[in-house]
Amino acid sequence: MAEKKATAKKATETKAAAAKKETVKKAAAPKAAAKKAVLAITAENAGFKAGDVYQALAAAGKALTVKEIAKAAKISEEETLLGLGWLFKEGKLANEGENVTLA
């Protein structure tokens, strides 16, 4: 009888140890890292993005949101913001609430 109890106890301990190892493996597994685009910020790059933004706004002929400008110019929202900053500093843009238009 004592042997059966000892065997049952060993089986329970083995299952618990296996479950603990599985939990540790799941916790240690690296999460899928989101890809981040690297944006090189140089005067030349900012100027090119400003040109892309300006062309998108000129083609639309109306005020657009940042997301709409990025889609029209086929650039990321971060690059759009870089170009917008350049154009705002140059006085080429006007802000209409949440939208941006050519000045």
Side-chain angles (χ1 to χ4, degrees), residues 44-66:
E44 183 178 25
N45 190 357
F48 284 128
K49 298 310 171 191
D52 294 341
V53 169
Y54 191 90
Q55 293 298 323
L57 286 168
K62 63 177 185 172
L64 299 173
T65 64
V66 171

Side-chain angles (χ1 to χ4, degrees), residues 1-87:
M1 183 84 164
E3 287 179 29
K4 286 183 181 179
K5 285 183 178 179
T7 306
K9 186 176 180 182
K10 270 189 174 180
T12 304
E13 288 174 357
T14 305
K15 286 180 184 177
K20 185 176 180 181
K21 282 183 181 178
E22 187 64 31
T23 304
V24 170
K25 283 182 183 177
K26 286 181 182 177
K31 294 181 180 178
K35 287 189 175 183
K36 291 187 178 181
V38 176
L39 177 60
I41 301 176
T42 63
E44 183 178 25
N45 190 357
F48 284 128
K49 298 310 171 191
D52 294 341
V53 169
Y54 191 90
Q55 293 298 323
L57 286 168
K62 63 177 185 172
L64 299 173
T65 64
V66 171
K67 189 175 264 187
E68 292 169 336
I69 295 168
K71 186 176 179 181
K74 297 178 183 158
I75 58 177
S76 70
E77 288 186 35
E78 290 81 9
E79 292 170 324
T80 302
L81 293 171
L82 180 64
L84 286 171
W86 181 289
L87 294 172

